[in-house]
Amino acid sequence: MSLLSWILEGGWTVFERAFFVADRAFTGIQYRSNNTHTRIDNHIRFAERHHRIWGDILSKPETARIIVPTADAALITPLQIRAVNFVLLHTETVFRASKAGQYRAPDREKMEADIKHFLSLPIPGAAWATLKGSYSADFVAFVDKITGKLA
C-alpha cells in the first residue's frame, strides 16, 4: 500500500480523530477559563452583597444592635432576626458556591472565624437557634462544626 492510498483510505479517520482530540482539548481550556471568570465574578458579587447587607444593618440602630456583645438576646426583635437571617442567607450562598466549585474564599480560616465570632454574639446566636431549622442540613452541620456545637 502506498502512502497516497493510505492517506486516501485511512487518513481521513486519523485526521478526524486528531481534530476530535484537539476540539476536546480546546473545550477543556475554554471551560477552565470560563470557570475562572465565574469564580472572579462571584467573588465580586459576594463582596458587593456583603457590603450592602452590612451597610443596611449598620445604618439602623435597631439592627446595628445585633453586633453588640453585651446585648440582651431576650429582647431580640423580628427586625433583628431578619437582619441575622440576611447575613446567614448570604453565608449559605457563599457556602453553596464554594461547594460547587464556583467560589473560593480567599482565606477560609478567617471566614470560618468570622462566622464563629458572629454567631457567638448574643443576638445572632439566639437568632441562629431559631432559624437553623429553615436551612439545609449540610449548611447547619457546617455552621455547627465551626461554632463547636453538634448538629
Side-chain angles (χ1 to χ4, degrees):
M1 176 188 277
S2 72
L3 179 62
L4 181 60
S5 64
W6 178 83
I7 291 173
L8 292 176
E9 291 176 22
W12 181 251
T13 302
V14 172
F15 185 69
E16 253 184 329
R17 288 184 181 168
F19 272 104
F20 178 78
V21 170
D23 177 60
R24 293 296 174 232
F26 286 124
T27 300
I29 291 167
Q30 183 179 8
Y31 173 77
R32 186 177 177 145
S33 175
N34 286 344
N35 201 18
T36 300
H37 290 355
T38 299
R39 281 196 304 267
I40 292 168
D41 186 50
N42 284 342
H43 182 79
I44 292 167
R45 288 175 190 231
F46 290 151
E48 288 171 347
R49 189 173 303 147
H50 176 85
H51 290 289
R52 188 175 64 239
I53 290 168
W54 279 106
D56 290 347
I57 289 171
L58 297 175
S59 69
K60 300 175 190 114
E62 182 181 356
T63 53
R65 188 173 163 267
I66 69 172
I67 61 169
V68 174
T70 58
D72 184 357
L75 303 175
I76 193 169
T77 67
L79 188 58
Q80 292 166 344
I81 292 173
R82 187 175 348 154
V84 171
N85 196 37
F86 286 148
V87 173
L88 294 171
L89 286 171
H90 173 68
T91 304
E92 185 181 33
T93 302
V94 172
F95 170 77
R96 294 259 162 259
S98 295
K99 222 173 155 183
Q102 297 300 308
Y103 177 74
R104 284 192 197 131
D107 186 347
R108 186 178 171 101
E109 290 176 8
K110 185 177 181 326
M111 181 188 75
E112 290 179 1
D114 287 347
I115 294 168
K116 182 176 183 173
H117 172 71
F118 178 67
L119 292 176
S120 73
L121 295 169
I123 292 175
W128 172 243
T130 302
L131 296 166
K132 73 193 288 184
S134 62
Y135 287 90
S136 65
D138 59 336
F139 180 69
V140 171
F142 169 74
V143 171
D144 285 347
K145 179 183 168 207
I146 290 170
T147 58
K149 297 176 183 166
L150 298 176

